[in-house]
Amino acid sequence: MTPSPSSPTRPLPAVQLRVPTDEDAHAWHRVFADPDVMEFLGGPAELSAYEEFTARQRMHDAQLGYCLWTLLDGDGAVIGFTGAQPWPREKEWGPVGEIEIGWRLGRSAWGRGYAYAAALATLGRVREAGVPRVVAMINDENVRSIAVAERLGMTLAERFLLPGGSRYGRRYELALDQG
């Protein structure tokens, strides 16, 4: 199934994706400092976590041709990230060996179509890189991200207990047509 490139009610916003820079670690730290943004991810993180994270994304881009890119709005302001990366092998749970697509936006960008527009751009880029399928790992309570995954045409493959044992997560998947 190919997702629709626009909403029936409004056109998609313009987005730009770029490989994260050192400066983007500071921007992500600022944009994601809101506890509501980080509600399903354990709360706001320290700057050092974003410095390591952006460095890892630059390595992914150099080695794989894709990563979690910095997401810019039409005016060039950092509003979050979107992209794809291999599921970390050091995690003791999850889809090891799979390519995970993901998005995280600052609150100012919520509800404006940025996540969907950026996720569509990501699907195009990972398809060009030869990735045959992607997964999305989403907290069961994160209705915004669930809506984006479903709008992309992703299929719910599994519902599972998250580490810690008190909340559930969902694994969505999407085969990318290489033809």
Side-chain angles (χ1 to χ4, degrees):
M1 173 179 181
T2 302
S4 168
S6 65
S7 164
T9 57
R10 66 175 183 227
L12 290 176
V15 294
Q16 301 169 49
L17 305 178
R18 73 168 180 227
V19 176
T21 64
D22 288 330
E23 295 78 25
D24 288 336
H26 294 272
W28 289 3
H29 182 252
R30 184 178 57 256
V31 170
F32 303 144
D34 184 331
D36 288 339
V37 170
M38 299 299 289
E39 175 182 7
F40 305 110
L41 302 165
E46 298 295 323
L47 175 60
S48 60
Y50 291 111
E51 290 170 335
E52 185 278 329
F53 195 53
T54 55
R56 186 169 2 115
Q57 298 313 311
R58 288 190 295 277
M59 179 192 70
H60 287 323
D61 186 73
Q63 293 176 349
L64 305 171
Y66 55 87
C67 66
L68 293 173
W69 295 286
T70 296
L71 174 57
L72 308 165
D73 67 13
D75 296 326
V78 173
I79 59 172
F81 66 68
T82 191
Q85 65 177 349
W87 184 262
R89 295 201 179 277
E90 62 273 8
K91 286 196 176 186
E92 296 180 9
W93 66 280
V96 174
E98 298 279 0
I99 304 303
E100 179 188 25
I101 184 175
W103 45 85
R104 185 183 311 166
L105 280 68
R107 182 195 288 272
S108 67
W110 288 3
R112 299 172 58 196
Y114 285 114
Y116 179 66
L120 281 176
T122 293
L123 290 177
R125 287 185 177 196
V126 296
R127 185 179 289 115
E128 288 173 12
V131 174
R133 77 185 209 117
V134 294
V135 299
M137 303 295 285
I138 303 172
N139 184 296
D140 213 30
E141 299 170 29
N142 189 342
V143 295
R144 289 181 199 92
S145 282
I146 289 168
V148 172
E150 291 177 353
R151 187 166 178 209
L152 290 170
M154 299 187 88
T155 304
L156 179 61
E158 174 186 19
R159 189 169 176 261
F160 58 93
L161 199 56
L162 289 166
S166 63
R167 291 184 166 185
Y168 281 86
R170 296 176 181 206
R171 179 175 56 85
Y172 284 87
E173 53 187 43
L174 179 67
L176 302 176
D177 181 16
Q178 300 296 317

